[in-house]
Amino acid sequence: MMEYRVDFLIGVMSVLFVQGTSILFIALVFHNVDTIHGWTFYQLLFIFAVAMLGRSLEHTFFDNLWTLGWQYIRPGNFDRLLVRPVNPLFQIIAERVQQDGVGSFLVGIIVLFTAIPHLELHWGIAEVMLLIVMIISSAAIFLAVNLFFATLSFWMVDSLPVMYAVQGMNDFARYPMQIYGKGVRFVLTWIIPYGFTAFYPAALFLDGSGFRSIGIWTPVVAIVTLSIALLFWKRGLRSFVSTGN
């Protein structure tokens, strides 16, 4: 990817710009209000950072799942993966690394270190390791959701529109769950658990959040959702019928 350096840098900088505008929007909101349901600007930045770091890891290493329908199944290219003595899911994941995720990761790091000094958090080895586990768990949940809905391509040929619709919901998880109605909170917690990609794991580190008892379950949610997605993938794989070329 670095062979074409300008293209690589444009990809990274474009993500920096897009994510930067999202942060600017939050800053503009807090220019007029002090808190949102008791949550301060820097607490929201911390939630935003956790979401961005988890999403960037998934985006960097697993983004090729988005192409399952139109690049592999529809033109018949998935057949060649099945005749190789290597797991087809691994082949799809390994065929591309998305450099745009590097830009998101850099923004996430900057936002994280901007927010932390204003939150009066105590950071020791245990807290740092816990934060890393939470970010990896966030990435695993993003992966699980994408894998689950990408698997629908085995029946729909291309589930990209569904994936886009579901992916748009993850923006809700960057804000405190209290600002949403019970229905939205239920969906983001128990149906499509995007709440565990940002808000709940971030709340684990914030005193008085009232959600620490839920946030501690983030790694378990990641394991469960990823297991369900993998089982669904295997079910889809057994149902696959070649479309030909």
Side-chain angles (χ1 to χ4, degrees), residues 44-231:
L44 257 68
L45 283 188
F46 186 74
I47 297 171
F48 196 92
V50 173
M52 193 177 300
L53 289 171
R55 179 72 182 92
S56 67
L57 291 177
E58 187 275 334
H59 184 57
T60 300
F61 298 106
F62 303 99
D63 191 65
N64 207 37
L65 286 173
W66 287 80
T67 70
L68 175 62
W70 63 269
Q71 183 169 297
Y72 293 93
I73 294 178
R74 177 178 291 170
N77 290 328
F78 192 76
D79 299 64
R80 65 182 173 84
L81 303 185
L82 296 177
V83 299
R84 296 174 179 173
V86 180
N87 186 294
L89 179 59
F90 174 79
Q91 293 183 67
I92 292 173
I93 291 171
E95 281 197 350
R96 186 177 70 171
V97 174
Q98 180 58 267
Q99 74 272 20
D100 293 354
V102 177
S104 294
F105 188 81
L106 292 176
V107 174
I109 290 293
I110 293 171
V111 173
L112 182 68
F113 282 96
T114 299
I116 284 177
H118 299 274
L119 297 177
E120 299 180 355
L121 301 177
H122 170 73
W123 290 99
I125 297 298
E127 288 76 13
V128 172
M129 294 302 297
L130 181 60
L131 179 60
I132 292 174
V133 169
M134 291 299 162
I135 291 172
I136 293 175
S137 298
S138 172
I141 295 171
F142 276 120
L143 168 60
V145 173
N146 284 346
L147 176 59
F148 184 91
F149 287 98
T151 301
L152 292 176
S153 293
F154 287 122
W155 294 278
M156 300 172 58
V157 180
D158 189 359
S159 62
L160 189 62
V162 178
M163 293 181 69
Y164 272 123
V166 173
Q167 180 69 23
M169 297 177 62
N170 83 83
D171 288 338
F172 290 99
R174 297 179 178 183
Y175 300 93
M177 289 289 106
Q178 301 104 308
I179 70 175
Y180 305 121
K182 291 182 179 180
V184 174
R185 291 202 302 269
F186 180 81
V187 171
L188 294 177
T189 302
W190 306 113
I191 305 301
I192 302 175
Y194 277 139
F196 288 95
T197 65
F199 175 71
Y200 291 128
L204 181 63
F205 297 88
L206 303 174
D207 292 331
S209 68
F211 292 92
R212 303 182 77 175
S213 59
I214 300 178
I216 195 66
W217 289 97
T218 300
V220 176
V221 173
I223 293 172
V224 171
T225 53
L226 194 54
S227 298
I228 292 173
L230 288 171
L231 288 173

